[in-house]
Amino acid sequence: MSEQLIIDRIDALTNELNDYNHQYYVLDEPTVPDAEYDRLMRELIELEKANPSLKKVDSPSQKVGGEALKAFTQVTHQIPMLSLDNVFDQDEWQAFVKRVKDRLNTEDKIAFCAEPKLDGLAVSLRYEHGLLVQAATRGDGSVGENITENIRTIKTIPLKLRGEHLPEVLEVRGEVFMPKASFDALNAQATKKGEKAFANPRNAAAGSLRQLDSKITASRNLAFYAYSLGFVGTLSGADESAQWLPVSHYERLTFVRDLGLPMCPEVELLSSEDECQRFYQGILTARESLPYEIDGTVLKVNSIEHQQTLGFVAKAPRWAMAYKFPAQEELTILEDVEFQVGRTGAITPVARLKPVYVGGVTVSNATLHNQDEISRLGIKVGDTVTIRRAGDVIPQVVNTVIAKRPDNAKDIVFPTSCPVCDSAVERAENEAVLRCTGGLFCGAQQKEAIKHFASRKAMDVDGLGDKLVEQLVDEKLIKNASDLYGLSDIQVSTLERMGQKSAEKLINGLLLSKKTTLAKFIYALGIREVGETTASNLASHFLTFDAIRVADIEALQAVSDVGEVVARNIVSFFAQPHNNEVVDALLSYGINWPAIEVKSEDQQPLVNLTYVLTGTLSQMGRNDAKAHLQSLGAKVSGSVSAKTDYLVAGEKAGSKLTKAQSLGVKVLTEEELVSLLKTHQVQ
């Protein structure tokens, strides 16, 4: 056969098999038996093996997986991939609808595009000239992982879009999930081999997508449904979405479906908000019969013009809402209570339960929080208890069924010494939590502090998982976070189940982690009650680490969201010599961050002014208003005092307004706030 005949045959087979894939996986209308499909696929694979240079980028044979990757690279999303806010009942849903109508300044009915909330993993697919060139996870919304090779193996995702006239760049977003049948088959196979089964389909899907060997992903039978579009335009970055796309969300989904990408068959266009409750109840009733796991519904304002008017908050669109299903509950038995020590020394009672399937997963553990919660529940070991799991929330013990209490039920007795290091425990005034006093001497706090330091939202050390941290501490290779940067690949490679490549990956991950931000470094230190937001506020306020390190309680309380308790925790942390030793060691290893730009007085016209927000702001959320004020240098406090300069009073302002008036604090309306922000050109 001549080369041209081979090319023609490969083209014909590729087109024919892609059509059959579309019929089978998207339209659910196969036109040929499996045997015929398999015969054509074998012929294509044999031709490609004999002529590798002729293999096409959209070849259906790529669905079986390619060469294993050494690591995932990062992808920066051209348009951020945001998450969704949640509502859990009809009142919260109606409040959302009211906010939408208020922002749109309309009393007309609002059309919604409604869909089941799939329990999977959000991904982005980038097509250029109709060919799939890149796929990425959502990650932190701005940066995700490049999973292109694994995505290529998913049979429901076309490698080439259907149609001839297409935009240069089309980014499709959707959910990768594992159908229930695939999940059951995967776990049955794992059980047969004596391997650990996956807890739920979402974990199985996420684990499958993050395999470095795409052949493993190909064997997992994942699926995909498109739910929105990202960037649509030219390779040079010009936005041409208006030219290419319909003006409603539902029509955009059908546009994507016509290009060959699957759309969830349960998606509906609802003519008004009144139909949303009907859709929600219908999906809730059908939940168990659906071929995939869901944990609620997603309802999106259908008009693209309305979506653009409504805009976004920091991490979510104002035009969409996840309406989650009620918590799912089951009865089980409390078989024992163990006490875990956290990274701050907090001693938490953990319920060991008779395994029970609830909320889509098998639950065998649940937190009991603290001694006060145990007293409230009146719970004993041996009791029958109600377990609740709502969405991804940690399972909770809701109540105790006293009528089922056995005669041999035992009281839950809290330890008088740390279960890890045997140090004394104490309970601070006004706290419900017991804490170990062992500090860095306590092995549990050692490990948890290092795990927190290396976590994704902190220093983000690639290749350093929880088990490896425990190994490194147990083998006495590290005692604290600074010791990580003194490790060599030879030391790491000697650990059990750690080869040279894994060791090199860790050392490289440590090297890359040295370049960070001041906010992330502060958060990574694990100071009690200093979360991501507080760390960011500290960085923005003080600008340098040295300034934070020597700040006193009064200076710290000048930072937004830092009260007396948090300020005391920060001062106490830096007053400990061993903490400063670790910090100095970390800095000596070259951890660095870019300098924070100092804003000029013109850029911070509200500096030294304190604002308080109260009531409902209809033109902007209180979080948006707070962010705008802070960007202009203002301090935004949560309470009114004699130091308050202005109170912004929205609708239904309550006690804060009364107190402000009694103190003679100047009160601004929302309109006056908007005018102030416009004066200073805050959009």
Side-chain angles (χ1 to χ4, degrees), residues 648-665:
V648 179
E651 296 177 14
K652 300 180 181 179
S655 59
K656 290 180 183 178
L657 175 58
T658 303
K659 186 173 181 179
Q661 291 169 335
S662 69
L663 292 172
V665 174

Side-chain angles (χ1 to χ4, degrees), residues 343 452 457-459 516-545 548 556 559-562 566 570 574 593 596:
R343 65 180 179 84
H452 171 77
K457 293 182 179 180
M459 298 300 288
T516 184
T517 65
L518 176 55
K520 285 193 172 187
F521 182 70
I522 297 167
Y523 175 66
L525 295 179
I527 303 170
R528 280 186 60 198
E529 298 186 53
V530 175
E532 291 177 89
T533 300
T534 302
S536 180
N537 290 342
L538 287 166
S540 298
H541 182 88
F542 287 103
L543 303 180
T544 69
F545 180 67
I548 297 169
L556 288 163
V559 179
S560 177
D561 290 334
V562 175
V566 176
I570 297 168
F574 288 114
W593 48 82
I596 299 174

